[in-house]
Amino acid sequence: MFDLIVRNANLPDGRTGVDIGIAGKKIVAVERNLEAQAKDEIDATGRLVTPPFVDPHFHMDATLSLGLPRMNVSGTLLEGIALWGELRSNATKEELVDRALRYCDLAVTQGLLFIRSHVDTSDPKLVTVEAMIEVREKIAPYIDLQLVAFPQDGYYRSSGAIDALDRALDMGVDIVGGIPHFERTMGEGTASVEALCRIAADRGLPVDMHCDETDDPLSRHIETLATQTIRFGLEGRVAGSHLTSMHSMDNYYVSKLIPLMAEAQINVIPNPLINIMLQGRHDTYPKRRGMTRIRELMDAGLNISFGHDCVMDPWYSMGSGDMLEVGHMAIHVAQMAGIEDKKRIFDALTVNSAKTMGIEGYGLEPGCNADLVVLQARDTLEALRLKPNRLAVIRCGKTIARSEPRIGELFLEGRPAKIDGGRDYAPRH
Ligand SMILES: [Zn+2]
């Protein structure tokens, strides 16, 4: 006897007509024509069922603060940082918690159940850290939240940042962050990478740095990050977020850099929505895209996962917690439109990100956690194209969100009365 059976599902690996049997909080059977009874059943005929979406790079302390204290007029990263500096020093813990919880409500309806958030540790009061630790506890039944201590104003550049980062880690923040390209000089950026990797090694923590988020072809902190990763034996536990300078680097140099990153097993986290919005701002025309070299990094065997980064905050006025929107942008900016390309992009929103975050029991095999999402799409390619509704979101075997399918009604003589955008327009391949 099962608690729940999801019937007749299409899986991300291409299997169709599969039944998923759940007992308690675990998946215990994944097979066709599962002959068993369950207390509850979900009919997923012709629908894609996937493990939950995973966002490995977000800013939960700033989300939904758009317009506070005023809008970002220039739309640049630097004005965004200045605005956030003003907001951060005035925001109360209650406001920060309330905004984060509201974002998480939205995330759940989008099937986004794992989030890694950077938390700004620049203000010595660390109200942001207190608030995000409270959020992490409150949402634990439905979202796994990892927190990164992020010295946003610079580890050396901002007075008090060294002490504040240590205190944040003492308070229970999970991961060591950094922002070497924002330090005063390349030399101080290099030194910050070394110091922060040393802290991670001493404390036994992972590292996730905003790294080379610039169009400067000579911003090369990722080289230092990879080297220090190897030096401190942190292979596989270090993430380099953004890496946009790699877009502009010399090709010969990159041919040496990528194998070094592979040796260090760096997890690469591009943020396509934010990168295409913020990079290339100093260019006239032609304008650079400013996203890192996704295809080449994938080809070299590196683990690539995409982050949403921002939703309605001082840096980005858009966003809806939909990781498929992130993947949709990645397809365009990385020019990865082939069928196999898109499958790799879908992995970068799910299994690759789960690896980056070290999530245990993630997947759709017997023994995995009963966390899954039913989408109004036939397969992963259609999901990326349509960004469809999440018909059911299941966490630990329980349905925690539902959406109605998006159906268009037509009132045209001689034409169909209803249209299911996915089902009725699927290509024959
Ligand atoms: Zn970020």
Side-chain angles (χ1 to χ4, degrees):
M1 184 71 174
F2 292 90
D3 293 306
L4 173 65
I5 297 177
V6 179
R7 293 277 185 197
N8 219 10
N10 295 348
L11 303 189
D13 64 10
R15 280 179 285 169
T16 57
V18 175
D19 297 338
I20 303 168
I22 292 165
K25 297 180 177 181
K26 295 282 180 192
I27 295 171
V28 291
V30 180
E31 58 193 65
R32 284 168 183 264
N33 305 316
L34 179 63
E35 288 190 21
Q37 304 261 303
K39 291 178 197 153
D40 195 10
E41 291 206 359
I42 292 176
D43 178 13
T45 302
R47 306 295 197 192
L48 174 67
V49 176
T50 170
F53 294 101
V54 181
D55 181 0
H57 187 115
F58 195 61
H59 293 266
M60 190 79 87
D61 50 0
T63 193
L64 303 187
S65 66
L66 180 66
L68 299 172
R70 62 188 170 280
M71 295 297 284
N72 181 340
V73 177
S74 68
T76 58
L77 174 64
L78 293 182
E79 186 174 343
I81 289 174
L83 273 177
W84 169 241
E86 287 178 51
L87 180 63
R88 180 184 61 201
S89 51
N90 297 322
T92 66
K93 182 176 156 188
E94 289 69 29
E95 286 168 15
L96 292 164
V97 170
D98 179 59
R99 284 198 285 265
L101 290 178
R102 284 205 299 125
Y103 178 74
C104 291
D105 295 341
L106 183 65
V108 168
T109 65
Q110 302 281 29
L112 170 55
L113 303 187
F114 299 91
I115 301 174
R116 174 181 285 183
S117 174
H118 295 255
V119 184
D120 190 351
T121 56
S122 300
D123 190 288
K125 297 193 295 289
L126 294 179
V127 176
T128 46
V129 175
E130 277 181 34
M132 292 308 112
I133 285 175
E134 184 175 322
V135 170
R136 185 176 64 185
E137 280 170 27
K138 282 199 158 126
I139 65 175
Y142 51 94
I143 290 178
D144 280 14
L145 177 64
Q146 293 181 354
L147 300 175
V148 185
F150 178 39
Q152 177 137 19
D153 293 355
Y155 186 64
Y156 289 127
R157 183 171 175 168
S158 167
S159 66
I162 295 172
D163 172 60
L165 182 125
D166 261 337
R167 283 189 290 125
L169 295 173
D170 288 342
M171 288 164 73
V173 171
D174 310 284
I175 297 162
V176 181
I179 186 163
H181 56 273
F182 195 69
E183 304 293 346
R184 285 194 184 87
T185 64
M186 201 66 81
E188 289 198 346
T190 303
S192 77
V193 173
E194 180 180 353
L196 291 160
C197 284
R198 185 185 297 278
I199 289 171
D202 288 348
R203 289 178 177 258
L205 298 176
V207 174
D208 189 338
M209 287 192 197
H210 286 66
C211 194
D212 297 332
E213 189 183 0
T214 142
D215 296 311
D216 176 2
L218 297 178
S219 182
R220 292 174 170 185
H221 297 298
I222 181 57
E223 177 187 81
T224 309
L225 182 60
T227 308
Q228 296 300 332
T229 297
I230 295 165
R231 176 184 171 198
F232 286 108
L234 297 169
E235 289 95 335
R237 285 164 47 195
V238 174
S241 285
H242 292 297
L243 309 184
T244 50
S245 68
M246 286 185 72
H247 184 94
S248 298
M249 283 173 183
D250 172 70
N251 287 339
Y252 183 85
Y253 173 72
V254 171
S255 75
K256 186 167 173 243
L257 174 64
I258 290 181
L260 173 66
M261 292 167 66
E263 184 187 345
Q265 298 166 45
I266 298 289
N267 293 295
V268 176
I269 309 178
N271 295 283
L273 296 169
I274 307 309
N275 298 156
I276 198 67
M277 181 64 92
L278 293 182
Q279 301 310 130
R281 291 280 175 149
H282 291 230
D283 295 355
T284 54
Y285 290 94
K287 274 185 195 289
R288 286 167 288 179
R289 294 171 184 228
M291 194 160 75
T292 198
R293 304 188 186 204
I294 289 170
R295 184 191 297 281
E296 291 77 7
L297 288 161
M298 284 180 169
D299 287 346
L302 282 124
N303 185 48
I304 313 290
S305 44
F306 295 128
H308 202 319
D309 202 359
C310 302
V311 172
M312 296 176 72
D313 68 13
W315 299 276
Y316 190 61
S317 60
M318 313 278 286
S320 60
D322 185 355
M323 293 308 293
L324 288 169
E325 191 173 312
V326 175
H328 191 266
M329 180 60 79
I331 288 169
H332 290 82
V333 183
Q335 299 179 323
M336 290 180 66
I339 289 175
E340 291 308 313
D341 287 342
K342 288 185 197 154
K343 289 178 181 168
R344 291 165 104 185
I345 297 279
F346 193 86
D347 284 347
L349 308 171
T350 50
V351 287
N352 297 6
S353 307
K355 184 178 176 196
T356 299
M357 286 182 60
I359 301 165
E360 291 178 4
Y362 180 90
L364 287 185
E365 299 302 325
C368 291
N369 297 329
D371 301 338
L372 43 95
V373 183
V374 183
L375 291 112
Q376 189 192 356
R378 207 170 50 133
D379 56 27
T380 54
L381 309 187
E382 199 167 272
L384 283 162
R385 184 171 68 84
L386 293 172
K387 294 159 270 161
N389 283 1
R390 280 61 165 171
L391 304 179
V393 179
I394 295 159
R395 168 80 164 185
C396 295
K398 298 251 182 318
T399 301
I400 58 170
R402 271 186 198 281
S403 295
E404 291 298 316
R406 200 188 304 154
I407 304 287
E409 285 189 81
L410 268 183
F411 309 103
L412 300 174
E413 205 171 326
R415 303 308 304 158
K418 287 188 176 175
I419 286 184
D420 177 336
R423 205 165 275 194
D424 299 339
Y425 290 83
R428 296 188 184 95
H429 59 71

